[in-house]
Amino acid sequence: MMHNLSQFEQIALFAVLGISICGLLYALLLRGQILREEKGTEKMIEVWNAIREGSNAYLKKQLITILPLIAVLTVALFLSVYIVPPSRDALERFPGYSDNEVKTIIGLGRAVAFVMGASFSLLVGQLGMRMAVHANVRCAWQARKSFAGALRVAYRAGTITGMLTDGLGLLGGTLIFMYFGVAAPDALLGFGFGGTLLALFMRVGGGIYTKAADVGADLVGKVEAGIPEDDPRNPAVIADLVGDNVGDCAGMAADIFESYEVTIVSALILGLALYHMTHQLQWIIFPLLVRGIGVLSSIIGTYLVRTGPGKRGDAMKAIFSGFAWSAVISVILFALVGWYYLQDIHGGWWRPVAAVALGVLLAVAIDRVTEYFTGTDAAPVREVVKATRTGSATTILSGFSLGLESSVWSVFLIAITIFGSIMIFGTMDGLDAAQKIAYTLYGVAMTGIGMLTLTGNNVAMDSFGPISDNANGIGEMAWHDQTDQETIEARQILADLDGVGNTTKAITKGVAIGSAVIAAVSLFGSFITDVSVINPEVLKNGIRVSVPTVFVGMLLGGALPWLFSSFCVQAVARAAAQIVEEVRRQFRNGVLEGKIKPDYSRCVNISTTAAQKELISLALMGIVTPILVGLLLGVEALGGFLAGIIVSGQLLAVFMSNAGGAWDNAKKVIEDEPRDPAQNTGKGSERHKAAVVGDTVGDPLKDTSGPALNPMIKVVNLVSVIVAPVVVQYNDLGWAGWSVVVVLLAALTWSIIQSKKPTPTLE
């Protein structure tokens, strides 16, 4: 492939490859800096070891659970290319080979890329989580010295995960393109699917684990016993702290990684369509150059995050300042590269640059909107705090309405962005209607590329949340009997960082959801493009909602996120109930009075068992349903199915994420108040108990169901793009097709029955 590129393009691709390696080396540099920091006292290290061992044990068990399905899907992806003729791009890339030989090459490429995507997603999650665990105890110790030191350790440890996401994502995508060239989308579909599927596993499993423990610990510890959060007497506290790592760190890192990959996949598929129209490779290579610029900008921006010396500082201001610097640097470099490299493309060099810049602006806008609806100083959260005066019901209603409203504004921002792409590319002269749609969809894909340009910053912001949360928990457990001034100041620093961490987690969830929608819309365009390549007549009139089967498909697509979310919340509720009973049992046996030591392992085992139970069943829902819809209702109905899941999933995900974030931060605001029983303020007050109930309602929404919808939506979209050529080729099922339908229906039925089963109880 490289011989078809100009000298500049060859140099640029190797430069992008080098930048990906630089991102990984930067992560290695930061790792060394973090590990050189002190871990603190013996008691702190004891708590830290319990968290570390629990986190590692959970991820090991999760990997064992999912490996069989990964093996089956690897074989399925290899065989999938034999069902349809090889694409013209594959034949162009490998001239001189027979059709069967080309199929074998593409099949191996897709299978290997799938394993590589899954492995990279796993590495990002596992290595990022391990660094977060190493950082939490060091952050807690730095809090005894300065605010700046604690912020530095927490944020730079989070940056390691961000750089792993950037570096591995860019490395894999670039290597696949350099070998497969114009046939790269065939293999990249496997790469994106592998990353997305692992993200779904880690999001679902980690989310159920963390929220089962968190809800159980809060309901008995805070509400019933009136003890502080992370009190060492609470038997569920270690499971809660472990959950922060396996849910927020490992899960979110894998989630952003797969969004990073999916946007590249869709951009290259749509860029390939423009390449066939214009014979200009710039449409394909420019997205990779943008990705390289993003890694460089993130390295600079993340290193600039710092505050002055002293015991207090504005962490949110420092973090957003680094984000803003990265955004400014990246947009300037986009313009320079676009001006130099895209001079002769149809429509003008500024159009792709404008689309990418629009994506960066969308990320910033979602940041600001999410911070407004979930930040501790903003009016919405203050309204939730006010609602706690009249009890749990009004607290829940206030957060519920806030989440509903925030969904509307998020959709509004995404709609404006897509309309912006229409204005940028849809106003070009000399194009027919189909060509305008192709250019506009490419613009949407480039918007997604731009939105995730600052992935390093976004993942750093997200990992900062659980690291500071864990540091606060370690401080509570290790220093609970210390009342000296240094400890009080250190606890306040950690509480401040924890509060900011709640907001940064909510912000990055907003970006992840927004990017999921943009990526899904791009994949929707890829779906239409791939179908048109196989048979231009199938969707020549578009996807018509007026056709009854299409409308049925749209209804089914709209319903799937609700069923999926229901099973996630049910799993948390069942496991949390078991943890509540276990904590109550240990309290009755004298844990609170110090008669016996808390048995942390029991709650860890309950959370682990609950999470493992749902992994395969919920993943199968996302894999099986689009295949069934395509086979039974046709490819146009499958398009309606995708439209339904994108709209419904986005609204539901934003609602759950922001409502949960607002309830959580409302609780933090009350906990920071001076305790005064007469004024009903502070920890232990009735207002605090109402806020804790709101928080426990929001926990499975913001950290389990909401985030898990991101990879689920993209799993459905990627499976649809992979299966669409098969559906078009074989619209008459025959006995073999109906046999497949029966097997898939049985698998879907099993997954629903499995998800509704009660969580096994421990003896």
Side-chain angles (χ1 to χ4, degrees), residues 250-298:
M252 185 63 171
D255 186 1
I256 294 285
F257 175 83
E258 52 90 11
S259 289
Y260 193 83
E261 286 320 306
V262 167
T263 50
I264 270 288
V265 171
S266 55
L268 291 183
I269 290 175
L270 295 166
L272 192 60
L274 298 188
Y275 164 72
H276 287 306
M277 289 165 52
T278 64
H279 303 291
Q280 294 174 316
L281 274 171
Q282 289 97 318
W283 300 111
I284 303 175
I285 292 176
F286 185 62
L288 293 171
L289 301 184
V290 169
R291 279 283 190 249
I293 290 169
V295 175
L296 282 179
S297 302
S298 288

Side-chain angles (χ1 to χ4, degrees), residues 23 29 370 451 579 591 633 672 682 706 721 753:
L29 171 68
T370 308
M451 190 176 183
I579 287 179
V591 166
L633 300 178
D672 286 341
V721 174
I753 293 172

